[in-house]
């Protein structure tokens, strides 16, 4: 049997990395020539935004997938720089691109999480790459971008990153600009926080209300959650009665996992 070209490390070695994915809205509706142009532009926009934020894209482990790029960033990459300056510069570059006459408009969904991400034979393995893919496919993220027609970028970050970085007071990150949603995609369930540069939570909630099948949300939807309360159920994508922190499927309280060899976040 052929050995894996990227064998997983021995038990106990679980490097935690920042993972990011960017996806072009309505890419499949474009003709082949235009898809080629959009792919080139996506790479250019990501390169320029990263450089403006002081990040070196040459150090990223990138996994292109046509209209989508998934990337695992180097260890010790400042999470606040990715959530703040990178998102800011990417939205600005998209706005400049879309304002040019005769160009194909590019609008992006962006998802970010941190956690275990291992090199594997077909790319990467671990919970963080899976979570990033599921957050990217969140119906709430799709609906917000689709209905905020003047927006160029809609980003979603995991609850873990929101709690550890956004709420921790990193400069240029305003917790009030994020809207909390509960994401349920395939087997994944967890909280995420949506931010649309240039648009506040009220606009995002109005955009989400336009989605087919949407019903009025519970009164507490979007409120900043407690770090300690546990939610008993979910109503229309929002926690009712409390919160679950850390990207867990919502349900009855679950005891915390035993401590591992990595630092507690």
């Amino acid at each position: 049997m052929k050995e894996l070209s990227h064998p997983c490390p021995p038990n106990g070695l679980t490097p935690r990395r920042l993972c990011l994915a960017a996806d072009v809205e309505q890419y499949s509706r474009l003709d082949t020539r235009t898809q080629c142009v959009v792919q080139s532009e996506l790479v250019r926009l990501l390169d320029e935004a990263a450089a403006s934020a002081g990040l070196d894209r040459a150090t990223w482990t990138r996994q292109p997938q046509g209209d989508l790029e998934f990337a695992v960033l180097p260890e010790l990459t400042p999470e606040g720089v990715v959530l703040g300056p990178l998102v800011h510069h990417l939205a600005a570059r998209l706005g400049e691109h879309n304002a040019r006459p005769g160009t194909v408009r590019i609008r992006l969904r962006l998802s970010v999480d941190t956690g275990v991400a291992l090199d594997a034979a077909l790319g990467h393995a671990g919970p963080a790459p899976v979570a990033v893919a599921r957050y990217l496919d969140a119906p709430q993220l799709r609906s917000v971008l689709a209905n905020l027609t003047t927006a160029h970028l809609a980003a979603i970050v995991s609850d873990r990153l929101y709690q550890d970085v956004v709420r921790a007071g990193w400069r240029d990150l305003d917790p009030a600009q994020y809207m909390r949603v509960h994401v349920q995609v395939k087997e994944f369930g967890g909280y995420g926080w949506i931010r649309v540069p240039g648009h506040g939570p009220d606009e995002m909630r109005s955009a989400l209300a336009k989605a087919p099948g949407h019903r009025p949300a519970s009164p507490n939807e979007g409120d900043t959650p407690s770090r300690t309360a546990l939610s008993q159920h979910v109503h229309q994508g929002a926690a009712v009665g409390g919160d679950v922190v850390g990207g867990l499927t919502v349900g009855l309280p679950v005891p915390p996992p035993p401590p591992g060899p990595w630092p507690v976040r």
Side-chain angles (χ1 to χ4, degrees), residues 14-19 70 72 114-120 123-129:
T14 51
R16 305 178 69 83
R17 308 280 288 281
L18 199 62
C19 298
F70 169 78
V72 178
T114 185
V116 175
L118 308 178
D119 292 338
H124 296 87

Side-chain angles (χ1 to χ4, degrees), residues 96-146:
E96 293 167 0
H97 168 87
N98 293 335
R100 292 202 300 265
T103 59
V104 179
R105 194 171 187 223
I106 298 176
R107 306 174 78 223
L108 291 181
R109 300 193 317 278
L110 184 76
S111 64
V112 191
D113 194 7
T114 185
V116 175
L118 308 178
D119 292 338
L122 299 178
H124 296 87
V130 172
V132 161
R134 301 299 180 252
Y135 280 124
L136 196 66
D137 285 337
Q140 300 98 322
L141 187 66
R142 291 179 178 273
S143 295
V144 165
L145 184 61

Side-chain angles (χ1 to χ4, degrees), residues 7 11 57 61 66 86 129 168 193 201 242 257:
N11 291 337
R57 286 249 297 160
T61 304
L86 177 64
W193 293 81

